[in-house]
Amino acid sequence: MENALVILCGGDSSRMGSDKALLPFGNCCLIEYLVHKFEPYFPKIYLSVKQKGIYSHLNLNVREISDIYFNAGPLAGVFSTLSMIDEDKAFYISIDTPFVNPKLATKLLEKIASYDICAIDHVKEGTKEVLSAVYSKSCITKMGKCLLLRQYSLENVHKKCKTLYIPEEELKREFPPSFKMQFFSLDTRNSYYRSLNYLSKLEGPLIFKE
Protein backbone atom coordinates (compact mmCIF):
# COMPACT_ATOMS: atom_id res chain seq x y z
CA MET A 1 0.00 0.00 0.00
CA GLU A 2 1.09 3.58 -0.61
CA ASN A 3 2.39 5.68 2.24
CA ALA A 4 -0.31 7.95 3.66
CA LEU A 5 0.02 11.08 5.75
CA VAL A 6 -2.69 12.55 7.94
CA ILE A 7 -2.40 16.16 9.12
CA LEU A 8 -4.57 16.87 12.14
CA CYS A 9 -6.17 20.30 11.67
CA GLY A 10 -9.29 19.95 13.81
CA GLY A 11 -8.14 21.72 16.97
CA ASP A 12 -9.74 24.87 18.33
CA SER A 13 -6.55 26.99 18.13
CA SER A 14 -7.88 28.72 21.25
CA ARG A 15 -4.44 29.64 22.59
CA MET A 16 -3.40 31.04 19.21
CA GLY A 17 -6.56 33.07 18.71
CA SER A 18 -6.94 32.15 15.02
CA ASP A 19 -6.78 29.04 12.82
CA LYS A 20 -3.16 27.85 12.95
CA ALA A 21 -3.42 26.20 9.54
CA LEU A 22 -3.89 29.56 7.83
CA LEU A 23 -1.09 31.44 9.60
CA PRO A 24 1.55 32.87 7.22
CA PHE A 25 4.56 30.55 7.15
CA GLY A 26 7.31 31.36 4.71
CA ASN A 27 5.86 32.18 1.31
CA CYS A 28 2.56 30.42 2.00
CA CYS A 29 0.37 29.47 4.95
CA LEU A 30 1.16 26.74 7.48
CA ILE A 31 -1.04 24.02 5.97
CA GLU A 32 0.39 24.67 2.50
CA TYR A 33 3.92 24.52 3.93
CA LEU A 34 3.32 21.09 5.49
CA VAL A 35 1.58 19.63 2.45
CA HIS A 36 4.31 20.80 0.06
CA LYS A 37 7.01 19.56 2.44
CA PHE A 38 5.57 16.03 2.70
CA GLU A 39 4.23 15.62 -0.87
CA PRO A 40 7.50 14.19 -2.29
CA TYR A 41 7.34 11.38 0.29
CA PHE A 42 3.61 10.72 0.57
CA PRO A 43 1.44 10.22 -2.53
CA LYS A 44 -1.70 10.34 -0.38
CA ILE A 45 -2.26 13.18 2.10
CA TYR A 46 -5.39 13.57 4.21
CA LEU A 47 -6.52 16.47 6.38
CA SER A 48 -8.43 15.75 9.57
CA VAL A 49 -10.87 18.65 9.93
CA LYS A 50 -13.93 19.59 11.95
CA GLN A 51 -15.81 20.62 8.85
CA LYS A 52 -15.10 19.83 5.20
CA GLY A 53 -14.36 22.63 2.79
CA ILE A 54 -12.48 24.92 5.18
CA TYR A 55 -9.28 24.72 3.14
CA SER A 56 -10.71 23.99 -0.31
CA HIS A 57 -9.80 27.51 -1.52
CA LEU A 58 -6.11 26.54 -1.25
CA ASN A 59 -6.50 23.94 -4.02
CA LEU A 60 -4.23 21.45 -2.31
CA ASN A 61 -3.95 17.86 -3.53
CA VAL A 62 -5.47 16.43 -0.34
CA ARG A 63 -8.67 14.81 0.87
CA GLU A 64 -10.47 16.27 3.87
CA ILE A 65 -12.07 13.95 6.44
CA SER A 66 -14.29 15.39 9.15
CA ASP A 67 -14.52 14.11 12.72
CA ILE A 68 -17.11 11.47 13.60
CA TYR A 69 -16.86 12.38 17.31
CA PHE A 70 -16.64 15.92 18.65
CA ASN A 71 -14.89 17.36 21.71
CA ALA A 72 -12.68 14.30 22.03
CA GLY A 73 -9.31 15.86 21.18
CA PRO A 74 -6.79 14.38 18.73
CA LEU A 75 -8.17 10.88 19.33
CA ALA A 76 -11.33 11.84 17.42
CA GLY A 77 -9.26 12.89 14.42
CA VAL A 78 -7.10 9.77 14.45
CA PHE A 79 -10.11 7.45 14.82
CA SER A 80 -12.18 9.20 12.14
CA THR A 81 -9.43 9.28 9.53
CA LEU A 82 -8.27 5.70 10.18
CA SER A 83 -11.86 4.61 9.63
CA MET A 84 -12.09 6.42 6.28
CA ILE A 85 -8.70 6.21 4.56
CA ASP A 86 -7.96 3.57 1.93
CA GLU A 87 -4.55 2.66 3.34
CA ASP A 88 -3.98 0.19 6.21
CA LYS A 89 -1.79 2.63 8.10
CA ALA A 90 -0.71 6.26 8.08
CA PHE A 91 1.74 8.62 9.70
CA TYR A 92 0.02 11.30 11.78
CA ILE A 93 1.25 14.80 12.39
CA SER A 94 -0.31 17.82 14.05
CA ILE A 95 -0.64 21.06 12.10
CA ASP A 96 1.41 22.79 14.80
CA THR A 97 4.62 20.74 14.40
CA PRO A 98 5.96 21.94 11.02
CA PHE A 99 9.57 20.86 11.54
CA VAL A 100 9.08 17.08 11.62
CA ASN A 101 11.40 15.40 9.10
CA PRO A 102 9.38 13.56 6.39
CA LYS A 103 12.11 10.91 6.15
CA LEU A 104 11.61 10.17 9.84
CA ALA A 105 7.93 9.59 9.11
CA THR A 106 8.67 7.11 6.32
CA LYS A 107 11.16 5.32 8.58
CA LEU A 108 8.46 4.71 11.19
CA LEU A 109 6.16 3.37 8.47
CA GLU A 110 8.89 0.89 7.52
CA LYS A 111 9.33 -0.19 11.13
CA ILE A 112 5.69 -0.80 12.14
CA ALA A 113 5.50 -4.36 10.69
CA SER A 114 2.78 -6.23 12.63
CA TYR A 115 2.44 -3.62 15.39
CA ASP A 116 -0.66 -1.45 15.81
CA ILE A 117 1.34 1.71 16.49
CA CYS A 118 4.93 2.76 15.83
CA ALA A 119 6.21 5.82 17.71
CA ILE A 120 9.44 7.41 18.90
CA ASP A 121 10.48 6.97 22.50
CA HIS A 122 10.75 10.72 22.97
CA VAL A 123 9.63 12.66 26.04
CA LYS A 124 8.36 16.21 25.55
CA GLU A 125 7.74 18.39 28.59
CA GLY A 126 7.56 15.32 30.82
CA THR A 127 5.15 13.45 28.53
CA LYS A 128 5.87 10.77 25.94
CA GLU A 129 5.33 11.96 22.35
CA VAL A 130 2.29 9.95 21.22
CA LEU A 131 0.71 12.05 18.47
CA SER A 132 3.40 12.05 15.78
CA ALA A 133 3.34 8.32 15.10
CA VAL A 134 2.18 5.64 12.69
CA TYR A 135 -1.27 4.24 13.43
CA SER A 136 -2.77 1.21 11.71
CA LYS A 137 -6.39 0.21 11.16
CA SER A 138 -5.90 -2.55 13.74
CA CYS A 139 -6.25 0.23 16.37
CA ILE A 140 -9.79 1.19 15.33
CA THR A 141 -11.73 -1.13 17.66
CA LYS A 142 -9.74 -0.17 20.76
CA MET A 143 -9.97 3.53 19.85
CA GLY A 144 -13.73 3.23 19.42
CA LYS A 145 -14.04 1.71 22.90
CA CYS A 146 -11.93 4.51 24.37
CA LEU A 147 -14.19 7.11 22.74
CA LEU A 148 -17.33 5.42 24.06
CA LEU A 149 -15.81 5.35 27.56
CA ARG A 150 -14.68 8.98 27.17
CA GLN A 151 -11.05 7.97 27.63
CA TYR A 152 -9.61 10.50 25.19
CA SER A 153 -5.91 10.18 25.97
CA LEU A 154 -3.79 8.89 23.08
CA GLU A 155 -1.29 7.66 25.66
CA ASN A 156 -4.05 5.37 26.96
CA VAL A 157 -4.59 4.06 23.41
CA HIS A 158 -0.87 3.32 23.12
CA LYS A 159 -1.07 1.23 26.28
CA LYS A 160 -4.06 -0.76 25.03
CA CYS A 161 -2.55 -1.43 21.60
CA LYS A 162 0.52 -3.35 20.46
CA THR A 163 2.91 -0.41 20.32
CA LEU A 164 6.51 -0.32 19.15
CA TYR A 165 8.65 2.51 20.51
CA ILE A 166 11.84 3.22 18.56
CA PRO A 167 14.59 4.58 20.87
CA GLU A 168 15.35 8.24 20.18
CA GLU A 169 19.09 7.50 20.14
CA GLU A 170 18.56 5.12 17.22
CA LEU A 171 17.06 7.84 15.04
CA LYS A 172 18.19 11.33 15.98
CA ARG A 173 21.55 11.37 14.15
CA GLU A 174 20.02 10.14 10.90
CA PHE A 175 17.00 12.46 10.94
CA PRO A 176 17.76 16.10 11.83
CA PRO A 177 16.92 18.60 13.22
CA SER A 178 16.91 17.78 16.93
CA PHE A 179 13.78 16.03 18.14
CA LYS A 180 13.21 18.94 20.51
CA MET A 181 12.83 21.14 17.42
CA GLN A 182 10.90 18.60 15.37
CA PHE A 183 8.26 18.26 18.07
CA PHE A 184 8.20 21.91 19.04
CA SER A 185 4.52 22.88 19.21
CA LEU A 186 3.43 26.08 17.52
CA ASP A 187 0.41 26.68 19.78
CA THR A 188 0.76 30.24 21.05
CA ARG A 189 1.68 33.57 19.45
CA ASN A 190 5.07 33.46 21.16
CA SER A 191 5.84 29.96 19.87
CA TYR A 192 4.62 31.01 16.41
CA TYR A 193 7.12 33.89 16.29
CA ARG A 194 9.87 31.56 17.51
CA SER A 195 8.99 29.15 14.70
CA LEU A 196 9.19 31.94 12.13
CA ASN A 197 12.64 32.83 13.43
CA TYR A 198 13.77 29.23 13.15
CA LEU A 199 12.28 28.94 9.65
CA SER A 200 14.19 32.03 8.52
CA LYS A 201 17.45 30.36 9.62
CA LEU A 202 16.53 27.28 7.59
CA GLU A 203 15.30 28.99 4.43
CA GLY A 204 16.56 32.57 4.53
CA PRO A 205 14.53 35.80 4.93
CA LEU A 206 10.76 35.36 4.83
CA ILE A 207 8.86 36.96 1.97
CA PHE A 208 5.14 36.90 2.58
CA LYS A 209 2.58 36.87 -0.20
CA GLU A 210 0.32 39.89 -0.34
Side-chain angles (χ1 to χ4, degrees), residues 21 27-37 58 60 209:
N27 293 323
C28 54
C29 66
L30 185 55
I31 186 64
E32 290 175 303
Y33 176 85
L34 269 176
V35 169
H36 297 328
K37 178 178 179 177
L58 298 173
L60 297 170
K209 291 181 179 179

Side-chain angles (χ1 to χ4, degrees), residues 8-201:
L8 296 166
C9 310
D12 293 328
S13 298
S14 56
R15 297 177 67 191
M16 184 65 67
S18 61
D19 187 352
K20 297 176 197 174
L22 297 176
L23 289 171
F25 206 74
N27 293 323
C28 54
C29 66
L30 185 55
I31 186 64
E32 290 175 303
Y33 176 85
L34 269 176
V35 169
H36 297 328
K37 178 178 179 177
F38 278 83
E39 270 180 327
Y41 304 90
F42 289 85
K44 294 291 289 293
I45 297 179
Y46 301 89
L47 303 184
S48 170
V49 297
K50 282 190 174 180
Q51 183 179 353
K52 287 184 180 179
I54 298 174
Y55 307 116
S56 58
H57 65 287
L58 298 173
N59 297 313
L60 297 170
N61 185 26
V62 297
R63 175 184 165 195
E64 294 183 359
I65 299 175
S66 55
D67 287 351
I68 299 171
Y69 286 85
F70 296 99
N71 302 316
L75 176 57
V78 178
F79 174 80
S80 301
T81 48
L82 269 182
S83 302
M84 296 296 291
I85 66 175
D86 299 323
E87 294 74 20
D88 292 329
K89 55 187 178 294
F91 180 77
Y92 281 75
I93 186 173
S94 171
I95 186 63
D96 61 10
T97 52
F99 300 118
V100 171
N101 187 332
K103 292 182 180 179
L104 174 63
T106 59
K107 185 69 171 182
L108 294 186
L109 278 160
E110 291 172 7
K111 291 275 192 179
I112 190 170
S114 60
Y115 287 86
D116 301 321
I117 301 169
C118 182
I120 302 165
D121 193 6
H122 171 73
V123 176
K124 179 171 108 176
E125 297 178 358
T127 305
K128 190 181 290 289
E129 173 59 44
V130 293
L131 181 52
S132 294
V134 176
Y135 291 88
S136 70
K137 283 185 178 289
S138 56
C139 299
I140 290 175
T141 300
K142 290 184 176 67
M143 286 183 174
K145 289 180 179 178
C146 288
L147 286 164
L148 289 172
L149 295 172
R150 298 185 178 182
Q151 299 173 350
Y152 300 144
S153 167
L154 277 173
E155 188 172 2
N156 184 50
V157 171
H158 278 228
K159 291 176 181 177
K160 292 179 180 294
C161 292
K162 187 181 177 184
T163 302
L164 172 66
Y165 289 107
I166 309 297
E168 182 177 341
E169 292 296 322
E170 192 177 310
L171 299 167
K172 66 180 185 180
R173 290 183 182 178
E174 187 178 354
F175 302 104
S178 69
F179 282 0
K180 181 179 180 180
M181 195 66 238
Q182 289 195 54
F183 299 118
F184 178 77
S185 295
L186 190 161
D187 56 1
T188 64
R189 284 286 166 179
N190 181 56
S191 60
Y192 169 54
Y193 298 137
R194 287 175 63 190
S195 294
L196 290 180
N197 182 55
Y198 182 70
L199 181 66
S200 69
K201 293 177 181 178

